[in-house]
Amino acid sequence: MAGTLSDQFKTRLNLQTKTVGEERIKRAKERNEDVAILSMELPGEKKPFKCCREDCLLGDPTSLPLGTKKMEYKTRQWHEKCFCCCVCKVPIGTQSFIPREQEIYCAKCYEEKFATRCIKCNKVITSGGVTYKNEPWHRECFTCTHCTKSLAGERFTSRDEKPYCAECFGELFAKRCFACNKPITGIGGTKFISFEDRHWHNDCFFCASCRTSLVGRGFITDQDDIICPECAKQKLM
């Protein structure tokens, strides 16, 4: 897995354990700061404590011998050794962590479990990315099905749920202009004329004799040609 963390998670990785003094602990609690506090039970202190880990590693969740470090986050408490990632079970120590639904995750395990993954390569999308049909892709993975050209930021269309660049779609699937034999893609608002089983680009639909555009006008077929009414009259004379 890439060492770089997903952008969408980076802003959440500001939760770090800190070893601080009594005044700092008091201030953090008063301000309800989003920080885990690592402290030590000192002689003469008899503060209530209960490790919230069900399988407490010290055996007794209410025991906190002198010199033992404890971790506090929000309203919960742990022995230092019990404050572990719920997946890999490695103690958090002074590393970054992410809380989710009463569980604690180290940054690596959180990303492995919850990060957005590319539908094509199944690797974590660490930055940017493309969404197509509500599915995430790396920009470099979102390519034309036929030529593998990147489609990120480019015009494309699809067939059978697969994306194609405009050029490949035209060559593979589009109707072809009867006049120039080039594909009629219809992408980007391309206009065309259809008559019987033949098709023309708007720019290719003109009289075979005088070359006048026949778009929006009447025309007459003369074998494989199309001609304007004026040229048709001259042919009959």
Side-chain angles (χ1 to χ4, degrees):
M1 185 181 70
T4 305
L5 295 174
S6 301
D7 288 349
Q8 59 184 310
F9 302 130
K10 285 180 180 177
T11 56
R12 301 189 62 182
L13 301 184
N14 60 343
L15 306 181
Q16 294 186 328
T17 57
K18 295 182 179 180
T19 304
V20 296
E22 184 66 25
E23 287 302 316
R24 182 67 181 87
I25 294 174
K26 180 179 178 181
R27 190 163 64 252
K29 289 181 177 180
E30 288 175 348
R31 297 176 180 177
N32 193 31
E33 293 181 9
D34 203 6
V35 61
I37 300 171
L38 181 63
S39 60
M40 183 181 296
E41 187 75 1
L42 299 175
E45 291 184 337
K46 293 184 179 181
K47 297 179 181 179
F49 174 83
K50 184 176 182 180
C51 179
C52 66
R53 177 166 173 165
E54 293 183 1
D55 57 338
C56 176
L57 299 180
L58 271 67
D60 182 1
T62 61
S63 174
L64 189 66
L66 288 177
T68 302
K69 292 182 179 180
K70 63 180 178 179
M71 194 74 70
E72 296 179 273
Y73 177 66
K74 298 293 188 180
T75 59
R76 295 186 291 165
Q77 299 174 314
W78 297 261
H79 295 106
E80 180 188 18
K81 293 182 179 179
C82 295
F83 190 65
C84 302
C85 170
C86 65
V87 177
C88 66
K89 306 303 181 183
V90 173
I92 298 296
T94 57
Q95 303 303 309
S96 297
F97 70 95
I98 302 174
R100 183 184 175 104
E101 298 177 356
Q102 300 301 306
E103 299 285 5
I104 299 296
Y105 295 84
C106 67
K108 181 180 178 180
C109 288
Y110 186 90
E111 179 152 308
E112 185 69 27
K113 187 169 184 177
F114 299 110
T116 300
R117 292 181 176 274
C118 174
I119 193 68
K120 184 174 182 178
C121 70
N122 199 39
K123 294 181 180 179
V124 172
I125 298 176
T126 58
S127 62
V130 175
T131 300
Y132 174 62
K133 291 189 178 297
N134 295 320
E135 293 180 325
W137 304 66
H138 289 112
R139 292 179 66 86
E140 58 271 23
C141 290
F142 188 58
T143 59
C144 173
T145 303
H146 184 66
C147 71
T148 70
K149 170 187 175 182
S150 175
L151 297 179
E154 301 292 333
R155 293 190 310 158
F156 69 93
T157 189
S158 63
R159 186 182 179 93
D160 299 328
E161 301 297 313
K162 297 177 180 178
Y164 292 85
C165 67
E167 292 77 12
C168 286
F169 185 85
E171 290 297 327
L172 294 170
F173 309 114
K175 299 178 177 67
R176 290 193 173 269
C177 177
F178 188 77
C180 70
N181 200 38
K182 293 182 179 179
I184 302 172
T185 64
I187 297 176
T190 301
K191 296 181 180 180
F192 63 96
I193 306 293
S194 294
F195 177 70
E196 295 180 345
D197 59 345
R198 293 184 289 175
H199 314 279
W200 295 263
H201 293 108
N202 266 23
D203 293 342
C204 296
F205 193 63
F206 48 76
C207 175
S209 296
C210 68
R211 317 299 285 180
T212 300
S213 173
L214 296 177
V215 176
R217 298 179 57 190
F219 62 91
I220 296 170
T221 58
D222 181 20
Q223 295 183 358
D224 287 341
D225 292 333
I226 53 171
I227 57 178
C228 65
E230 291 77 10
C231 290
K233 290 177 182 179
Q234 290 181 9
K235 277 199 167 190
L236 294 174
M237 292 175 64

